[in-house]
Amino acid sequence: MTLWDGSYPFYPGANACFPFDTTRAVIVTVFLSVLLMFIIILPGIRGRRRLFWFLRLVLGLFTGAVVLTVQFTRDWETGWVQANTSYKSFSHVQVNADIGLHIGLAGVNVTLRGNPVNQINETINYNEHFPWNFGADYDRSYSEGLEKGLPSPILYVAEKFSRQSPCAVHRQYRIAGHYASLTLWLAFCTWLVSILLFSMSIVLYGGHMLLLTATLILFSLLFFSTVRNSLKCPIQFGPVSLRTDYGESFWLTLATGLLCLLLGLGIIILNSKQPEKLKLIFSLDKNREEEVWGKSCLPAEPSCSAQDVLMGELCQVTATQL
């Protein structure tokens, strides 16, 4: 596996555990760089506009970063179990290990971590990914795992999500992941449109686009949660079973969708009830302040023109005397 597959290969061979997803790291780095760039110019904004501008910036970048990042995360549904299990096929040797299942929109990750990590003269620390996104073949990835000789617990869990499995959950998870991913991409596009509208001071339509973004995000959660209503296939390791529940990405997406919903509703309500406060938040009263400042200078204009006339007459008299 290379860098562009989503993880760094810290050590070779089948016994490779990838501690983080580089796609997520790249996205977070890009958004943090944009935030830092705007923070540098923050001192140039005067008064209360600085605070409101900074809050709009942070909330906007947070929403975009979350909607884009959760597309590639693998913890929409997670579960862990500690069990004594066989390590290799056709072997009676057992190990004590933590077995984790992490389900994302594009596939599943199966984790095997020994307690302790070094057992039976081996380092037991695996994290294998089996994709089902467009252009990927889950069964082929599973067959490659068999050829590499992955540990039995990983193959046992991965087999539950294959097409040939009697559990018949592969199609449900795959379709749910595709629909959730599609709606999230649409939500990212509507978020970009809302940012463009806010930058053009078209606040009301920007609020409508935020509501549409929130609707798409919540629909993506609905699509993914339909899988939870299906019959679960038991994943047994002796007397204990591996159970999954919603993971961090699911709850983070839910929080972001509710945040967009509240912000969109707040903008629409303020626009109809208290438009002056909305103009204050989005710094739309700048032109009004310039007009007031210009009007305050108008009374001084006659005095200035009178002074010019007096100076002109004085010059004329001086020229006549000469």
Side-chain angles (χ1 to χ4, degrees):
M1 182 175 287
T2 64
L3 169 62
W4 306 111
D5 291 328
S7 299
Y8 283 111
F10 283 95
Y11 37 87
N15 206 19
C17 178
F18 307 120
F20 63 89
D21 188 349
T22 56
T23 305
R24 184 190 307 184
V26 169
I27 295 173
V28 173
T29 302
V30 170
F31 277 87
L32 287 179
S33 300
V34 174
L35 178 62
L36 180 61
M37 180 182 64
F38 281 103
I39 289 178
I40 293 175
I41 66 174
L42 188 62
I45 303 176
R46 299 178 180 178
R48 288 185 296 179
R49 292 201 211 109
R50 180 186 304 171
L51 175 61
F52 291 130
W53 186 85
F54 181 73
L55 288 176
R56 297 200 309 268
L57 175 66
V58 172
L59 291 175
L61 291 178
F62 172 78
T63 302
V66 170
V67 173
L68 187 59
T69 303
V70 295
Q71 290 273 4
F72 308 99
T73 55
R74 300 167 183 176
D75 56 352
W76 279 69
E77 189 176 343
T78 61
W80 285 91
V81 67
Q82 183 177 357
N84 291 317
T85 179
S86 60
Y87 182 61
K88 293 290 186 180
S89 300
F90 309 107
S91 174
H92 299 288
V93 177
Q94 290 195 340
V95 295
N96 184 270
D98 292 324
I99 306 164
L101 174 61
H102 315 279
I103 304 174
L105 301 182
V108 299
N109 270 55
V110 186
T111 304
L112 180 66
R113 186 180 305 136
N115 288 318
V117 176
N118 295 316
Q119 297 184 49
I120 58 174
N121 297 325
E122 288 193 29
T123 300
I124 305 175
N125 195 9
Y126 292 82
N127 185 14
E128 295 294 328
H129 180 62
F130 302 90
W132 56 49
N133 56 326
F134 289 110
D137 190 346
Y138 185 93
D139 290 341
R140 180 179 179 182
S141 300
Y142 177 72
S143 299
E144 291 176 354
L146 287 173
E147 294 175 0
K148 289 192 299 183
L150 293 177
S152 296
I154 294 180
L155 296 175
Y156 169 69
V157 175
E159 191 272 336
K160 296 290 184 178
F161 294 87
S162 64
R163 293 181 180 179
Q164 289 77 23
S165 173
C167 296
V169 295
H170 173 84
R171 182 174 179 272
Q172 298 172 3
Y173 273 102
R174 184 171 179 269
I175 294 177
H178 287 174
Y179 277 105
S181 179
L182 176 62
T183 51
L184 284 175
W185 280 118
L186 292 176
F188 184 74
C189 294
T190 55
W191 169 79
L192 287 176
V193 175
S194 68
I195 294 297
L196 179 62
L197 292 174
F198 287 141
S199 65
M200 298 171 61
S201 300
I202 310 176
V203 179
L204 181 59
Y205 290 104
H208 287 299
M209 293 307 297
L210 267 184
L211 278 182
L212 181 57
T213 302
T215 303
L216 291 171
I217 292 175
L218 296 177
F219 264 106
S220 69
L221 298 173
L222 180 63
F223 288 139
F224 186 81
S225 62
T226 54
V227 184
R228 301 283 299 176
N229 298 327
S230 60
L231 294 177
K232 291 296 177 181
C233 189
I235 304 177
Q236 289 288 141
F237 292 94
V240 296
S241 60
L242 175 59
R243 302 181 183 275
T244 59
D245 203 353
Y246 293 126
E248 295 179 1
S249 293
F250 182 91
W251 296 116
L252 182 60
T253 307
L254 176 61
T256 305
L258 294 178
L259 176 63
C260 292
L261 182 64
L262 292 177
L263 291 176
L265 289 176
I267 290 172
I268 294 174
I269 293 174
L270 282 178
N271 183 75
S272 59
K273 301 294 183 181
Q274 296 180 338
E276 296 300 326
K277 289 187 177 180
L278 186 63
K279 291 180 180 179
L280 177 64
I281 294 174
F282 283 90
S283 304
L284 299 180
D285 55 348
K286 182 178 179 181
N287 295 330
R288 176 176 297 181
E289 290 178 0
E290 292 178 352
E291 291 175 3
V292 172
W293 182 83
K295 291 179 180 179
S296 65
C297 294
L298 286 177
E301 292 178 357
S303 62
C304 295
S305 60
Q307 185 178 0
D308 293 338
V309 172
L310 291 175
M311 290 298 295
E313 292 178 355
L314 180 60
C315 293
Q316 235 176 5
V317 172
T318 307
T320 303
Q321 290 177 354
L322 292 174

